[in-house]
Amino acid sequence: MAPSEDAAVHRQLGELVAGMRSLQESIRRLEEGAMRAEDKAATSRSKVHERMDQLVDRVGDVEVSVSSIGADVAEMKPVTDDVKRWKLMGIGALGVTGIAAMALGVSFAEAIRRIVFVIIGKV
């Protein structure tokens, strides 16, 4: 081979080696970026799982509270129904008492009117 051809081959080999080194460096950076991204994703997933566990615990507490409240409400319902019934009976009794008082008042007023007429002398 001629020296100029030999230099051209060496130059091309040097360019190939430099290109390969550049590719290797790019691949290494990509791998490092992928590893960092995977580490971030793993950290994020662990935080999500931790929060999910906390939510599960909180929901369990809420379920327990709701069931105890349901039991309390079930115990209070008969009392509430009794109070409503008493209220209705009281309103009815007040109505009957009012009507009776009105009738008694009218009768009493009529009796007083008659007494006054007897005293005054108008028959």
Side-chain angles (χ1 to χ4, degrees):
M1 276 188 159
S4 66
E5 287 180 12
D6 197 29
V9 169
H10 282 292
R11 189 181 48 136
Q12 287 177 347
L13 282 175
E15 288 174 2
L16 282 174
V17 168
M20 288 300 293
R21 285 185 183 146
S22 174
L23 282 174
Q24 287 174 340
E25 181 65 25
S26 295
I27 289 172
R28 184 186 61 74
R29 279 183 283 164
L30 287 172
E31 287 174 345
E32 287 175 357
M35 282 190 269
R36 281 193 306 269
E38 183 62 33
D39 290 343
K40 286 181 183 179
T43 302
S44 176
R45 280 191 300 270
S46 70
K47 287 181 182 178
V48 167
H49 286 293
E50 181 179 324
R51 289 180 186 150
M52 188 69 79
D53 291 340
Q54 291 172 352
L55 282 174
V56 167
D57 292 340
R58 291 174 64 188
V59 168
D61 293 343
V62 169
E63 286 177 343
V64 169
S65 297
V66 167
S67 66
S68 69
I69 289 171
D72 291 345
V73 168
E75 289 176 9
M76 286 185 259
K77 182 142 177 52
V79 174
T80 305
D81 292 341
D82 285 345
V83 170
K84 286 180 183 176
R85 186 172 49 86
W86 294 343
K87 181 180 175 184
L88 291 174
M89 288 170 48
I91 290 171
L94 283 175
V96 169
T97 304
I99 291 170
M102 184 179 64
L104 184 62
V106 169
S107 299
F108 186 67
E110 182 65 25
I112 290 176
R113 189 174 71 85
R114 287 187 182 184
I115 291 172
V116 170
F117 282 152
V118 168
I119 292 174
I120 294 177
K122 289 184 179 180
V123 177

